[in-house]
Amino acid sequence: MTDCLFCKIVAKEIPATVVHETARTLAFRDVNPQAPTHVLVIPKGHYENAAVLAEADDGLADDVLKAADAVAVQEGVAEAGYRVVFNTGPQAGQTVFHVHAHVLGGRDLHWPPG
Ligand code: 5GP
Ligand code: ZN
């Protein structure tokens, strides 16, 4: 998709601090971090949200979750605990409509989130 911010990051048209990459996923630091570790994990292909990604049905959603855990391990937050969030739709706060898992950790995270 030509007018998608995260597709442009995949295409390296917009810079990002990449922390993890596989053949089908990319993970980079959120530009406005909400925790000491705040990384976004995306499929390189364009899917609007988590539901559409799940429907892709070729193991790609698994790849994104595995990459999220790999990032947590790499960032040193896996043992203490971390949160994986897919904001889905405007009322949930989704602002970029290329599915992304927020991986948050490195501080106490409150529940439920606001
Ligand atoms: P959403 O609100 O859609 O769940 O999350 C979008 C996230 O993308 C936000 O946390 C926001 O800070 C992040 N973001 C927006 N623009 C950029 C950008 O250009 N680069 C990076 N690395 N993150 C971005
Ligand atoms: Zn996209």
Side-chain angles (χ1 to χ4, degrees):
M1 206 178 248
T2 51
D3 206 27
C4 168
L5 179 63
F6 289 173
C7 282
K8 286 180 179 165
I9 286 178
V10 171
K12 298 193 178 355
E13 291 168 15
I14 291 176
T17 305
V18 172
V19 298
H20 188 268
E21 184 169 8
T22 68
R24 298 203 291 174
T25 70
L26 189 69
F28 51 91
R29 296 202 188 281
D30 195 294
V31 79
N32 182 23
Q34 303 301 312
T37 289
H38 188 172
V39 172
L40 303 174
V41 181
I42 66 171
K44 289 180 177 174
H46 184 92
Y47 300 84
E48 183 180 343
N49 61 38
V52 177
L53 175 64
E55 285 299 315
D57 196 27
D58 61 354
L60 187 54
D62 301 16
D63 286 3
V64 169
L65 284 179
K66 284 174 187 160
D69 186 57
V71 166
V73 170
Q74 188 176 296
E75 293 281 309
V77 300
E79 206 165 312
Y82 64 96
R83 186 170 289 163
V84 179
V85 176
F86 292 93
N87 292 326
T88 305
Q91 195 163 27
Q94 186 176 5
T95 59
V96 178
F97 290 86
H98 180 136
V99 63
H100 48 282
H102 294 258
V103 178
L104 297 149
R107 66 167 170 82
D108 288 339
L109 298 166
H110 304 291
W111 189 261

